[in-house]
Amino acid sequence: MKTKVQVPQQEPFVDLGLVPTAPAPQQAEGDVEDDAHDDVHGTGDENAPQQHEFDAKIDDPDQQPPVPEDPPIIPLRRSSRDRVPSTRYPSDQYVVLLSDGSKPKYFVDAMEDEHKEWMKAMQEEMDSLHKNHTYELVKLPQGKKVLKNKWVYRIKQEEHTPHPRFKARLVVKGFGQRKGVDFDEIFSSFVKMTSIRVIIGLAASLNLEVEQMDVKTTFLHGDLEEEIYMEQPEGFLVKGKEDYVCRLKKSLYGLKQAPRQWYLKFDSVMGEQG
């Protein structure tokens, strides 16, 4: 006896991995550039100003920069107080003390100045030089160099007198000196503020008195070791010896070794006093 077996029909197998997908729509090249431009500069609004418009405005040579306005003019404020004249100095002397023209720069200016005290001041300086035996007149030796000099004028105001003091000083032009010929050592020690504070502190703690001494024409007391020659001061040429020069025996202001020579002189005197 034969038996019939019914087999169920199977659906055909389909490989989904091999089925091609639908291609995505490609974007036009111009659209890509527009999107990139919009990403850089913000939105893609057509009404927004483009970069080339700004460049045109900046590069425009005819465009003038804005001119700043001038600040408003403020009137000066004048003092309404009455001016009180000085009780210490008369008006004419007050002008002399503050005016730059009151101090002559050259010997000729001093001679033409309205103040005749300059000649008196120079004569006092010359008397001090002669009294101190600062120089002697000699013939200039052959091969020696002569230094020049000049007058320096100052107006000093004394503490206890209302009248100013006219001061003239003879200064050597030391920049013409030669090292090894006109000078050698120029070092000079000087006092420091710490030493002065120590002395004042000791005087205060020990109840001592402190006195100050002022040496006039300080540098004129230093003895010179070098052979230095200087021209005769202007306005004080000795008659009959116009071609003579001054052979310096002591220091003068302006010499490079003047501070050192004064220190050596002071040190020797203080050493003799113990």
Side-chain angles (χ1 to χ4, degrees):
M1 180 177 175
K2 296 182 180 180
T3 305
K4 295 183 179 179
V5 179
Q6 186 177 359
V7 180
Q9 188 177 358
Q10 296 181 356
E11 296 181 357
F13 177 77
V14 179
D15 189 359
L16 296 179
L18 301 178
V19 178
T21 58
Q26 296 182 357
Q27 191 174 8
E29 183 179 355
D31 297 339
V32 175
E33 294 178 357
D34 293 341
D35 294 342
H37 185 275
D38 295 341
D39 294 339
V40 174
H41 296 283
T43 61
D45 189 3
E46 295 180 356
N47 297 328
Q50 301 299 328
Q51 179 66 23
H52 63 83
E53 296 180 3
F54 290 103
D55 297 339
K57 292 182 180 180
I58 295 176
D59 299 337
D60 188 4
D62 297 334
Q63 184 179 3
Q64 300 294 334
V67 179
E69 298 180 357
D70 296 335
I73 300 177
I74 302 176
L76 297 178
R77 180 182 176 184
R78 303 290 183 180
S79 177
S80 59
R81 295 182 299 177
D82 297 334
R83 295 185 178 182
V84 180
S86 175
T87 58
R88 183 175 181 181
Y89 306 108
S91 59
D92 54 346
Q93 296 179 1
Y94 184 75
V95 173
V96 170
L97 290 174
L98 297 183
S99 175
D100 293 336
S102 61
K103 295 183 294 186
K105 190 175 182 180
Y106 303 102
F107 175 80
V108 178
D109 300 335
M111 294 295 96
E112 298 177 354
D113 196 274
E114 59 181 359
H115 302 285
K116 304 302 180 182
E117 289 84 355
W118 293 122
M119 189 62 193
K120 181 181 178 181
M122 288 186 289
Q123 187 61 52
E124 292 178 354
E125 178 74 2
M126 293 300 300
D127 294 341
S128 177
L129 296 179
H130 290 306
K131 183 179 179 180
N132 198 37
H133 305 287
T134 305
Y135 64 85
E136 61 180 356
L137 294 178
V138 297
K139 283 281 190 178
L140 181 63
Q142 186 176 4
K144 294 295 182 179
K145 182 180 179 180
V146 60
L147 300 177
K148 297 181 179 297
N149 57 70
K150 67 173 295 184
W151 287 102
V152 178
Y153 305 95
R154 293 289 183 269
I155 296 180
K156 294 186 176 182
Q157 181 61 44
E158 301 294 340
E159 183 177 358
H160 303 290
T161 176
H163 301 286
R165 179 186 176 189
F166 294 81
K167 180 69 175 178
R169 176 166 291 169
L170 185 64
V171 179
V172 183
K173 296 182 179 180
F175 55 81
Q177 291 182 267
R178 296 169 296 177
K179 185 175 182 180
V181 178
D182 301 317
F183 70 94
D184 188 12
E185 294 290 338
I186 60 176
F187 171 77
S188 176
S189 60
F190 57 93
V191 65
K192 294 184 178 180
M193 289 302 300
T194 53
S195 302
I196 297 178
R197 294 191 184 99
V198 170
I199 294 176
I200 296 177
L202 290 175
S205 61
L206 300 177
N207 195 20
L208 300 177
E209 294 183 0
V210 178
E211 296 184 2
Q212 180 183 359
M213 181 183 64
D214 183 21
V215 180
K216 295 183 179 181
T217 60
T218 307
F219 287 172
L220 303 185
H221 297 277
D223 299 323
L224 286 179
E225 301 173 356
E226 296 82 8
E227 187 177 354
I228 301 177
Y229 298 91
M230 179 191 70
E231 294 180 351
Q232 295 189 48
E234 187 175 7
F236 293 89
L237 295 177
V238 179
K239 293 183 179 181
K241 296 184 179 180
E242 290 81 0
D243 57 339
Y244 280 51
V245 295
C246 302
R247 204 277 195 189
L248 297 181
K249 301 169 60 177
K250 294 191 177 182
S251 299
L252 270 180
Y253 289 94
L255 292 177
K256 294 183 179 296
Q257 66 267 40
R260 176 177 175 81
Q261 298 306 124
W262 156 246
Y263 168 74
L264 295 177
K265 183 71 173 183
F266 179 78
D267 182 72
S268 62
V269 173
M270 297 301 295
E272 294 175 357
Q273 301 298 327

